[in-house]
Amino acid sequence: MRVSLRLPFFYGWLIVAVAFVTMAIGVNARTAFSLLFPPIVQEFGWERGVTAGAFSFGFLVSAVLTPAIGRLMDSTGPVTVMELGIGLMAAGLLMAPLTSEPWHLYVTLGVLVGGGSVCAGYSGQSLYLPNWFVRRRGLATSLAFAGVGVGSVILLPWIQVVIEGAGWRAACWSMGLLVLFVLAPINLLLRKRPEDLGLRPDGDAAPADRAVQPKSNVVDTAWAAVDWTLARALRTARFWWIALGYFCGLYAWYAVQVHQTKYLTEIGFSPTLAAWALGLVSLAGIPGQVALGHVSDRIGREWVWTIGSLGFAACYAALIVLQDHPTLTLVYLMVLAQGALGYGLTSVLGAVVAEIFQGKHFGSIFGSVMLAAIAGGAAGPWVTGALYDVAGSYTAGFAICIGLSLISAAAIWLAAPRQIRVVAGQMHRLARGGS
């Protein structure tokens, strides 16, 4: 049943605000694994590949479940998906202090926190946020995801202080309670689409109230007319190009996220500076994400994905050089490339898929694409850690990430969302009859 809701502002911006706070806490609860990693290795003496494997294993399990999360979103909406994720994250964090064997870590910080963060993080948010905006889709998504940066600069240094003062177990307890008591209540405000409240995307007036109908942004009318189910999408090359692009992109993203802190401390930087560097990456991502999200509404999603991919390539190049030249200048360069540019990927994560496979089965399709993306996020930390265990150096692992970042950019150009629907800033192409 539709309920007409009149507020002095578009309800979609409240949706963005809830997503902002959820991302600020939820994603950084998972990112904190990089800070928990050194004291856990030190306490138990486990190999790095085994310990980092907990993060990767959680990603693998959540990757298998991601298509089901998409179907759950299609059938029940965002409240169910978000509250499920919040419950899983809180349970994992509150039970992690009981760890005494590697498999305990795999269950708690791996499966529960990793799986919960997929529901409440980038994947889950991208399942419904694109429904609320069309003209401002990139901007709205990037504003919501900028919460990760704000949360990181507040939460990650705080978590490091707790770790240094009371230990990693106390840090897990603190994060678990924060997730449970802040995120669970506010996510009850979510709705799947504006039509559920008698509204329209971007807060536009109903068609009957407008003298001029809004112009369609569809370029390929035959493609857009298809009722895209998951089965149909799987038979297209575009689906698999997106899957490849997302796999490579998240491989590079999470490999550096997990190993960065340990790497910086090993080449001579203090644990405090390494923790601040991790937080500053997300801080740099705040203006970068918002700017690139807005830019994507003007020039297209492919360009922004390329900018983000090149940012990760530059980040890894700086990390490799840092091994022989450990200077603060290179650390700042690495932070800016990773945060201000690389994090721009998130602003178009949902938009790329939505503009190609928009429809009532979008959740199932996006969830299946994210199966490949999360598999990349799982493989990156594990392979990079395993390569270190074999070679005693991160150089080979970081070089692989540079190559995969370039492949990721190329794959999204081949998927070509611009050939299905153009962004608002390119609507003049339709007026000229271009494609």
Side-chain angles (χ1 to χ4, degrees):
M1 181 178 69
R2 295 181 180 179
V3 179
S4 180
L5 183 67
R6 294 190 177 277
L7 294 172
F9 57 89
F10 176 44
Y11 195 87
W13 295 116
L14 179 60
I15 297 289
V16 169
V18 172
F20 179 97
V21 176
T22 302
M23 298 288 283
I25 297 174
V27 173
N28 284 297
R30 179 189 63 200
T31 303
F33 186 90
S34 184
L35 302 181
L36 301 171
F37 183 61
I40 290 173
V41 170
Q42 182 177 0
E43 176 178 337
F44 295 106
W46 299 329
E47 289 186 347
R48 295 181 199 197
V50 171
T51 309
F55 186 93
S56 297
F57 182 71
F59 257 55
L60 284 174
V61 172
S62 60
V64 174
L65 298 177
T66 298
I69 293 171
R71 290 193 293 274
L72 184 64
M73 179 69 75
D74 286 339
S75 61
T76 65
V79 172
T80 302
V81 173
M82 294 301 139
E83 297 295 353
L84 172 64
I86 290 162
L88 291 173
M89 277 193 293
L93 289 165
L94 293 174
M95 290 193 296
L98 302 175
T99 294
S100 60
E101 299 290 340
W103 73 266
H104 297 161
L105 198 67
Y106 277 57
V107 171
T108 56
L109 296 184
V111 174
L112 293 177
V113 174
S117 68
V118 169
C119 293
Y122 293 106
S123 298
Q125 304 293 347
S126 296
L127 286 169
Y128 73 97
L129 270 174
N131 296 335
W132 284 86
F133 299 88
V134 176
R135 295 193 312 277
R136 302 184 183 95
R137 182 172 283 166
L139 175 62
T141 302
S142 62
L143 285 171
F145 290 176
V148 176
V150 174
S152 71
V153 76
I154 297 172
L155 292 180
L156 295 182
W158 167 67
I159 291 168
Q160 182 64 28
V161 168
V162 175
I163 290 172
E164 292 176 354
W168 67 270
R169 290 179 172 83
C172 288
W173 269 99
S174 301
M175 286 188 292
L177 294 173
L178 188 67
V179 166
L180 187 62
F181 290 109
V182 175
L183 299 188
I186 65 172
N187 275 275
L188 296 173
L189 297 171
L190 296 180
R191 296 296 181 271
K192 184 178 178 182
R193 55 175 61 90
E195 291 81 2
D196 295 340
L197 297 176
L199 304 172
R200 290 175 59 79
D202 294 297
D204 290 343
D209 298 332
R210 297 174 68 96
V212 180
Q213 297 295 322
K215 294 181 179 179
S216 170
N217 67 334
V218 173
V219 176
D220 190 334
T221 54
W223 181 284
V226 174
D227 180 18
W228 287 107
T229 62
L230 176 58
R232 290 191 181 104
L234 287 170
R235 293 194 293 269
T236 67
R238 281 192 165 98
F239 177 93
W240 296 105
W241 283 125
I242 297 172
L244 175 62
Y246 283 20
F247 175 92
C248 294
L250 268 71
Y251 181 110
W253 186 313
Y254 287 103
V256 68
Q257 189 175 93
V258 169
H259 291 280
Q260 172 181 310
T261 302
K262 186 65 173 173
Y263 177 73
L264 289 177
T265 57
E266 284 192 338
I267 61 176
F269 295 100
S270 70
T272 301
L273 186 142
W276 272 102
L278 186 65
L280 288 173
V281 167
S282 292
L283 179 63
I286 298 173
Q289 280 178 302
V290 174
L292 289 174
H294 177 67
V295 167
S296 79
D297 290 332
R298 309 265 68 81
I299 65 174
R301 315 307 182 191
E302 296 93 335
W303 285 108
V304 167
W305 190 273
T306 300
I307 292 169
S309 297
L310 292 176
F312 277 115
C315 158
Y316 280 107
L319 285 170
I320 292 173
V321 176
L322 269 167
Q323 185 169 349
D324 295 321
H325 304 281
T327 65
L328 280 175
T329 300
L330 278 174
V331 172
Y332 294 143
L333 177 62
M334 180 274 295
V335 165
L336 289 173
Q338 184 184 163
L341 300 180
Y343 276 31
L345 297 184
T346 63
S347 66
V348 294
L349 193 67
V352 168
V353 185
E355 286 165 10
I356 295 176
F357 297 111
Q358 186 171 307
K360 60 184 179 181
H361 302 290
F362 169 72
S364 298
I365 296 169
F366 183 80
S368 297
V369 167
M370 291 305 292
L371 176 64
I374 296 168
W382 179 78
V383 173
T384 304
L387 287 172
Y388 179 93
D389 290 335
V390 171
S393 169
Y394 279 111
T395 302
F398 289 170
I400 288 171
C401 289
I402 292 175
L404 291 179
S405 295
L406 300 179
I407 292 173
S408 179
I412 300 305
W413 278 99
L414 290 168
R418 69 192 182 283
Q419 294 179 0
I420 307 301
R421 290 177 174 85
V422 296
V423 295
Q426 297 296 307
M427 288 289 287
H428 61 275
R429 287 172 45 196
L430 294 182
R432 295 200 310 262
S435 60

